[in-house]
Amino acid sequence: MSRQAREAPLDHPARVFVVEDEEHLAAGIAENLEHEGHRVEVARDGMVALRRLLDTTFDLVVLDVMLPGLDGFSVCRLARERGVETPVLFLTARGGTADRIQGLRAGGDDYLSKPFHLEELLLRVRAILRRSRGGGATRDAELGSPVIEFGGNRVDLRAYRAVGFDAEEHELTHKEAQILRLLAARAGEVVSRDEILDRVWGLEEYPTARTIDNFLLRLRRRFERTPEEPRHFHTVRGVGYRFTVEPE
């Protein structure tokens, strides 16, 4: 993968972890990210990658799906379960819808199919870093406590775990946690579907407004006593959603 003319490097270089078992591709990605000014570390095995993610802080992970030792989806899912919130950009030769959905459910933030254009990879890296540093949905300072309590439910957004009003335990996906955190931070306000898509998914191509509706249905089934008559997750027809802590 050779360098090409592109925009000036970012003002604030990041620490990027590239996990890719194809040696030449990994070297090419690393070279171009370093040319952008980033510090890059490379791993070629899933188990090694997971250990590094659990002991080291990165700003972004570029993660291949097909890896020896442990596949990329499992690396991401296990890291999320252990509280790692580092943004993840999946790379894969499998670009079907089912694989994209699996990547999102595992906690990925974006998904790029091979073969890809170098410029697209760099633009997606820029976009993810911009969201995570300057307005992404995971900033604690903006989005408040990682623990949310409402209607007898207790949700730990860092651990991706919840205990419902009926004492049932739930595992949250990364996207479910991001959506809930965004809504809870704006409790009492209407948050549009477009804003949720922009703040949680950013430049990803797959999600649509209907995707948000499906995520909200899942949250209602877990945390509403009567999902058909929600008291916390309200639809504002034609606009978006409103979350209320005290039931209406």
Side-chain angles (χ1 to χ4, degrees):
M1 184 181 294
S2 60
R3 292 179 185 164
Q4 301 177 16
R6 51 180 169 271
E7 300 176 27
L10 290 170
D11 294 333
H12 303 289
R15 187 172 187 184
V16 182
F17 189 25
V18 175
V19 186
E20 168 60 63
D21 66 329
E22 295 180 40
E23 183 176 358
H24 294 299
L25 180 56
I29 293 172
E31 177 187 0
N32 282 279
L33 289 172
E34 287 170 350
H35 186 67
E36 291 273 291
H38 302 305
R39 290 185 298 155
V40 181
E41 180 174 332
V42 177
R44 298 175 61 192
D45 177 274
M47 289 300 299
V48 172
L50 180 60
R51 286 195 292 269
R52 288 297 289 157
L53 282 172
L54 298 180
D55 337 344
T56 311
T57 299
F58 295 99
D59 296 296
L60 173 67
V61 184
V62 178
L63 180 60
D64 187 29
V65 171
M66 302 299 291
L67 293 168
L70 191 67
D71 69 85
F73 291 148
S74 298
V75 170
C76 184
R77 177 178 54 78
L78 292 169
R80 295 292 188 230
E81 289 175 358
R82 288 160 175 76
V84 175
E85 295 190 354
T86 307
V88 172
L89 168 60
F90 278 117
L91 300 180
T92 181
R94 305 187 309 187
T97 299
D99 294 305
R100 292 174 63 85
I101 293 172
Q102 185 177 354
L104 297 175
R105 286 179 174 167
D109 295 85
D110 205 347
Y111 199 104
L112 187 58
S113 298
K114 299 177 183 178
F116 53 83
H117 292 288
L118 173 61
E119 289 302 317
E120 183 176 8
L121 171 67
L122 296 177
L123 286 171
R124 286 175 183 258
V125 166
R126 284 172 172 265
I128 293 172
L129 291 172
R130 191 162 52 242
R131 292 201 305 273
S132 64
R133 289 170 165 183
T138 59
R139 289 199 309 162
D140 288 349
E142 179 183 351
L143 296 178
S145 171
V147 177
I148 301 172
E149 297 185 0
F150 62 98
N153 303 290
R154 188 178 192 277
V155 183
D156 186 333
L157 295 169
R158 282 184 174 164
Y160 298 89
R161 292 189 177 92
V163 178
F165 59 87
D166 53 2
E168 184 175 351
E169 295 185 0
H170 303 280
E171 296 286 339
L172 298 178
T173 67
H174 185 54
K175 288 294 187 288
E176 288 170 342
Q178 286 184 305
I179 292 170
L180 182 50
R181 177 176 282 191
L182 176 59
L183 293 175
R186 303 269 296 277
E189 301 178 20
V190 178
V191 182
S192 72
R193 290 179 178 85
D194 286 343
E195 181 176 355
I196 295 172
L197 287 169
D198 179 63
R199 298 288 299 280
V200 176
W201 277 273
L203 294 179
E204 292 176 17
E205 298 176 2
Y206 169 72
T208 64
R210 184 60 184 167
T211 303
I212 303 299
D213 297 339
N214 291 333
F215 270 94
L216 266 292
L217 285 173
R218 281 154 55 180
L219 292 174
R220 283 174 178 154
R221 291 190 188 110
R222 293 177 179 180
F223 303 121
E224 296 279 8
R225 294 175 188 269
T226 309
E228 298 77 15
E229 299 177 1
R231 306 178 74 188
H232 300 285
F233 298 96
H234 308 281
T235 300
V236 180
R237 191 175 298 278
V239 182
Y241 291 95
R242 185 180 72 253
F243 173 78
T244 58
V245 176
E246 296 299 325
E248 294 185 357

